[in-house]
Amino acid sequence: MGENGNVWMPDAMSTVASEVDSLFYFVLWTSTIIFALVILAKVYFAVRFRRRDPAEVPQPIHESKLLETAWIVIPTILVLIVFTWGFKVFVKLNSPPPDAYQITVRGKQWFWEFQYPNGTVVANEMHVPIGQPVKLLMSSEDVLHSFFIPDFRVKHDVLPNRYTSLWFEATAPGEYQIYCTEYCGTSHSGMLGKVIVQTEEEFAAWLNEQSQDLPPAELGANVFRQYNCGVCHSVDGTRIVGPTMKGLWGAERQFEDGGTAVADENYIRESVLNPGAHIVATYPNAMPATFGSLSAKQLDGLIAFIQTLE
Ligand code: CUA
């Protein structure tokens, strides 16, 4: 939340965000005013027309045509305004401009993968250019997820076996939170990402740099961070969902089934790609087999990174 947000609304940082907010506030304020009028009238009538004498018989009343017409016509007009306005915003939210820049989004337990038109794949950090409509073509490789960027006021379910999409145009550079808003398993709450909005030039430079030509341990540290491995695996010895990475390299592992193995390159590779193959004793079989898209280079990097965590 930045300087434009308030206690119950985050910043409005996309071209459609203020329209969504205006509609929301219109509904909120008309409802609040009508609620207040109804309550005030109720209290007033209760006092004004209270029974003053046990023998009192109230006079029959005759309806006011004007009053009845008013409370039929005014709410009808209000509802029609909300419908037309809401429909317009809905259509706009669901019609990406034809020149939109397309990024493919894959939801997996428990991270987001973003693929750019040049083939670059990154996890959890989506860089986008400012002032350009961006269309996200989204699907899931496992269960239902939901992609939500509060600052942009866009949210859509991400489904297996089907594409869904949303679009936005960011209005200011900065970092904005991405949430998964569909309960999708153990680390649902850790399925977080960031949109990083950059100028056209910064974005182009970033996209160019996304080669995997880094020293292996650095590349591995990036992969570890981007793919949120730290949600389940600590690097400082703390026990979380899965075993810590600290001191893993070269250590003897005790498995649930009584077997053992030394944590070498092949053990780590197998544990990433096929996590259920050997379960370390006292830990649950909780890691999804969703990391098959890691390149050989990224796996080498992870192994090199784990070697540094003595
Ligand atoms: Cu993915 Cu919740």
Side-chain angles (χ1 to χ4, degrees):
M1 249 201 248
E3 64 275 18
N4 301 319
N6 55 46
V7 69
W8 66 329
M9 279 285 220
D11 293 346
M13 302 310 285
S14 74
T15 50
V16 293
S18 57
E19 292 182 45
V20 174
D21 289 1
S22 304
L23 176 58
F24 171 77
Y25 282 119
F26 177 80
V27 173
L28 179 74
W29 285 115
T30 44
S31 310
T32 307
I33 291 165
I34 291 171
F35 175 76
L37 289 177
V38 168
I39 296 299
L40 283 175
K42 185 176 143 182
V43 171
Y44 170 75
F45 291 144
V47 175
R48 172 80 175 75
F49 298 106
R50 70 189 184 279
R51 182 177 244 192
R52 287 153 208 264
D53 184 306
E56 183 181 345
V57 177
Q59 292 297 311
I61 51 161
H62 296 281
E63 75 278 9
S64 152
K65 286 272 186 306
L66 180 68
L67 207 54
E68 287 201 351
T69 313
W71 75 48
I72 291 168
V73 171
I74 294 174
T76 306
I77 292 174
L78 286 174
V79 165
L80 285 175
I81 290 175
V82 171
F83 172 76
T84 335
W85 190 350
F87 188 68
K88 268 190 171 157
V89 176
F90 175 83
V91 168
K92 187 162 182 181
L93 280 169
N94 282 282
S95 321
D99 61 340
Y101 182 84
Q102 184 168 306
I103 300 174
T104 306
V105 178
R106 273 182 295 270
K108 301 188 192 186
Q109 289 172 318
W110 290 278
F111 58 94
W112 300 104
E113 229 173 41
F114 303 103
Q115 183 161 23
Y116 288 79
N118 71 355
T120 296
V121 179
V122 295
N124 290 326
E125 285 177 9
M126 178 173 69
H127 290 243
V128 298
I130 191 175
Q132 152 134 38
V134 174
K135 179 189 171 187
L136 304 182
L137 184 67
M138 310 189 293
S139 61
S140 163
E141 297 214 344
D142 35 55
V143 298
L144 291 176
H145 303 277
S146 180
F147 189 88
F148 182 30
I149 312 172
D151 300 86
F152 295 173
R153 311 290 192 269
V154 292
K155 168 151 87 173
H156 209 295
D157 277 4
V158 178
L159 312 169
N161 308 320
R162 189 189 305 181
Y163 290 109
T164 54
S165 71
L166 58 76
W167 78 276
F168 59 82
E169 181 179 329
T171 53
E175 286 190 20
Y176 307 100
Q177 188 68 50
I178 299 169
Y179 291 107
C180 176
T181 51
E182 185 81 59
Y183 180 66
C184 56
T186 312
S187 292
H188 154 72
S189 62
M191 194 167 164
L192 303 169
K194 281 214 154 61
V195 190
I196 296 157
V197 179
Q198 298 174 303
T199 63
E200 195 83 41
E201 300 79 50
E202 284 169 347
F203 172 71
W206 171 83
L207 196 55
N208 262 328
E209 271 169 27
Q210 288 316 297
S211 67
Q212 295 168 10
D213 295 330
L214 284 173
E218 251 175 71
L219 176 64
N222 278 351
V223 172
F224 194 85
R225 179 179 51 83
Q226 284 192 346
Y227 281 80
N228 281 345
C229 306
V231 169
C232 294
H233 301 284
S234 77
V235 293
D236 62 0
T238 315
R239 183 185 173 124
I240 325 176
V241 179
T244 181
M245 297 291 108
K246 186 183 164 69
L248 169 66
W249 182 251
E252 185 169 272
R253 313 299 281 165
Q254 298 281 346
F255 301 128
E256 222 176 19
D257 60 10
T260 62
V262 169
D264 60 5
E265 290 90 345
N266 280 317
Y267 170 76
I268 293 173
R269 183 176 185 282
E270 180 187 57
S271 302
V272 174
L273 299 180
N274 184 13
H278 292 101
I279 303 303
V280 177
T282 77
Y283 285 93
N285 182 6
M287 180 162 157
T290 46
F291 299 95
S293 60
L294 289 175
S295 68
K297 220 168 181 175
Q298 286 173 314
L299 279 169
D300 294 347
L302 273 179
I303 291 165
F305 172 63
I306 288 168
Q307 288 180 33
T308 67
L309 303 171
E310 287 171 353

